[in-house]
Amino acid sequence: MSASSTAAILAEIRIPRETVNDDTVTIQSWHAAHGAPVKAKQHVVSIETSKAVLEVEAEAEGFLDIIHATGAEVPIGELIGRVLAIAPAAAAAPADQRSPATTTATTSNGHSAVPHAPHPSHTRSSNRLRDRATAQAEEPFASDPAPPSTASTTSAGTRGSSSTIHSLPSTGSSTQTISKKAQRLIDEHAINAAQAFPTLGLVREVDVIRHLESHAAARLQASPLPTSPATLAQQAPAPRVAAATVNGAYTPTKSKGLFGDAASSAKDRGNRSVVWLAWNYIWRNWFLGHMVRVAPRGVILTLHKWRGVKMGQDVFIDPTSIIETAFPENITIGNDVRITAGCVIMSHIKAPHYLRETGLVPVVLKPVILEDHCFIGVNSVIMPGVTVGKASVVTSGSVVVNNVPPYTMVQGNPAKVIKQFPRPESPV
């Protein structure tokens, strides 16, 4: 019995379930060698998902016992290593982590083949069905130089696996494995995987995303969009905010009446006249505000622009969404933005007289910027002063009170970052 199996196990190293949304991940690299001493809270391994690279820590101090080597594709929750009380024997290291020079391949006729370094897609994996399909595809290559079959074998349709295996030309790798999520994108966009990824043995979702982004960047370079209003809004001065003062004990004041409240609102808008305020309310807030809820989709964007909303090209706004009724000129929407049903985007908070005059809730008047390519989910709320970064996603029902970084997904109340998207190599 090996030393690694008899030694006391101080901690297990598994693929975390809480921070990974994929079915399987790839072990990118181990930060310590097999049998090396590690400390508690030390980053010992990096795992690569379809969206990001995560670091996994050791939960105890001891010696590292590696079970799955670098390059292995393992499911969520899989045991990939352990921390032992004593150093494991060198012979206990995984077979796929040893030097290729010490490994001899045996063909089906009993003769030894010339040793060769395994491709990253041929390393040991916990997906046994996929490994057997790969071994069957490689068997003719080891014993007989006959050309591989041009037919594609889809393991998802025949064996229930989560990947697809295609034959590649004889000049490259013998097989190409495509993850289930990558295959879904390839089918959706009609991509020829062999031509798009000729050097990849394992095609992941992130590879397909980068391929699509490079094509999108090329199209934008050929016919660029005009400067986004969201970019211009970053340099614009912030609107003046009426400050609330505290004058000792609060004394309730009588209602200012219709004209008094109108004069106060006109002052909040930069000392405008009451006549301008009345016309602004009737035309922009009441008439156009109601029209955007019943108008056909083709004219909704034009009505919002008449209201004062600044927006770029290829914008979608659902008629049930509310885009700031009082100060629509403080809303800036970039190019290729989608605002779905029931969203509320507000740029001001005007509390009751008591809360304002006592300073408990001062008047808030801050611009909202939705940068290019962002998505606002159903029934989301964007609070004043928020900037939603480029190519970001606000999931349904979220309340956003802080800025959203570019290329992220936020969720909750208050909204927090739950996922990072891969950034394109070229600007989009």
Side-chain angles (χ1 to χ4, degrees), residues 8-23:
I9 301 175
L10 302 180
E12 293 183 340
I13 303 174
R14 295 182 179 271
I15 303 298
R17 298 180 181 272
E18 295 79 7
T19 57
V20 177
N21 296 326
D22 298 340
D23 297 326

Side-chain angles (χ1 to χ4, degrees), residues 16-359:
R17 298 180 181 272
E18 295 79 7
T19 57
V20 177
N21 296 326
D22 298 340
D23 297 326
T24 59
V25 299
T26 302
I27 298 178
Q28 187 189 64
S29 62
W30 286 94
H31 303 320
H34 180 74
V38 295
K39 298 181 179 179
K41 303 301 181 181
Q42 175 183 342
H43 289 163
V44 293
V45 63
S46 297
I47 59 174
E48 184 174 6
T49 71
S50 61
K51 302 300 182 184
V53 175
L54 304 178
E55 301 285 349
V56 180
E57 300 177 345
E59 297 182 356
E61 182 176 357
F63 296 91
L64 180 62
D65 178 24
I66 297 177
I67 298 177
H68 288 284
T70 298
E73 185 179 346
V74 295
I76 303 304
E78 177 79 358
L79 178 66
I80 59 175
R82 296 175 295 188
V83 178
L84 305 180
I86 62 174
D96 51 3
Q97 193 180 356
R98 299 172 190 166
S99 173
T102 62
T103 305
T104 302
T106 303
T107 62
S108 58
N109 56 14
H111 297 286
S112 296
V114 178
H116 62 280
H119 190 274
S121 64
H122 304 159
T123 56
R124 186 182 64 177
S125 169
S126 59
N127 192 332
R128 308 305 181 197
L129 295 177
R130 201 278 309 279
D131 288 346
R132 284 199 293 269
T134 303
Q136 292 173 2
E138 290 177 347
E139 187 174 348
F141 176 77
S143 58
D144 189 357
S149 173
T150 57
S152 299
T153 302
T154 305
S155 58
T158 58
R159 299 186 181 183
S161 177
S162 61
S163 61
T164 304
I165 300 174
H166 297 287
S167 298
L168 291 181
S170 58
T171 55
S173 303
S174 59
T175 59
Q176 183 180 66
T177 305
I178 302 177
S179 70
K180 183 169 62 175
K181 292 185 178 180
Q183 187 64 50
R184 188 183 303 118
L185 288 177
I186 289 173
D187 295 339
E188 180 181 350
H189 296 277
I191 300 173
N192 188 321
Q195 295 180 359
F197 316 102
T199 61
L200 295 181
L202 172 62
V203 180
R204 302 161 300 160
E205 182 185 26
V206 65
D207 300 320
V208 183
I209 291 175
R210 287 171 179 167
H211 173 78
L212 295 173
E213 286 171 344
S214 64
H215 280 259
R219 288 195 300 269
L220 285 178
Q221 187 175 5
S223 56
L225 293 173
T227 304
S228 171
T231 303
L232 300 177
Q234 300 286 357
Q235 305 173 353
R240 188 179 63 85
V241 180
T245 59
V246 179
N247 299 319
Y250 173 73
T251 302
T253 56
K254 295 182 179 179
S255 174
K256 298 180 180 180
L258 176 62
F259 291 102
D261 288 337
S264 177
S265 298
K267 184 178 180 180
D268 293 338
R269 288 169 170 79
N271 294 321
R272 296 275 190 172
S273 66
V274 176
V275 175
W276 178 93
L277 183 71
W279 171 250
N280 175 75
Y281 175 80
I282 294 174
W283 166 249
R284 190 169 69 175
N285 294 6
W286 181 77
F287 179 74
L288 294 181
H290 282 79
M291 285 295 296
V292 296
R293 292 174 174 82
V294 298
R297 292 183 181 272
V299 299
I300 288 178
L301 299 182
T302 301
L303 295 176
H304 277 299
K305 290 179 180 178
W306 287 357
R307 294 180 60 236
V309 177
K310 297 180 282 292
M311 69 178 69
Q313 295 185 354
D314 197 21
V315 175
F316 171 83
I317 300 178
D318 191 273
T320 61
S321 60
I322 300 176
I323 312 295
E324 179 55 43
T325 57
F327 298 89
E329 67 275 9
N330 289 335
I331 307 298
T332 303
I333 304 173
N335 298 317
D336 185 28
V337 174
R338 296 186 68 84
I339 303 173
T340 56
C343 295
V344 177
I345 301 178
M346 50 195 302
S347 68
H348 86 288
I349 297 176
K350 190 172 182 180
H353 293 292
Y354 171 78
L355 296 178
R356 281 183 285 149
E357 294 175 5
T358 55

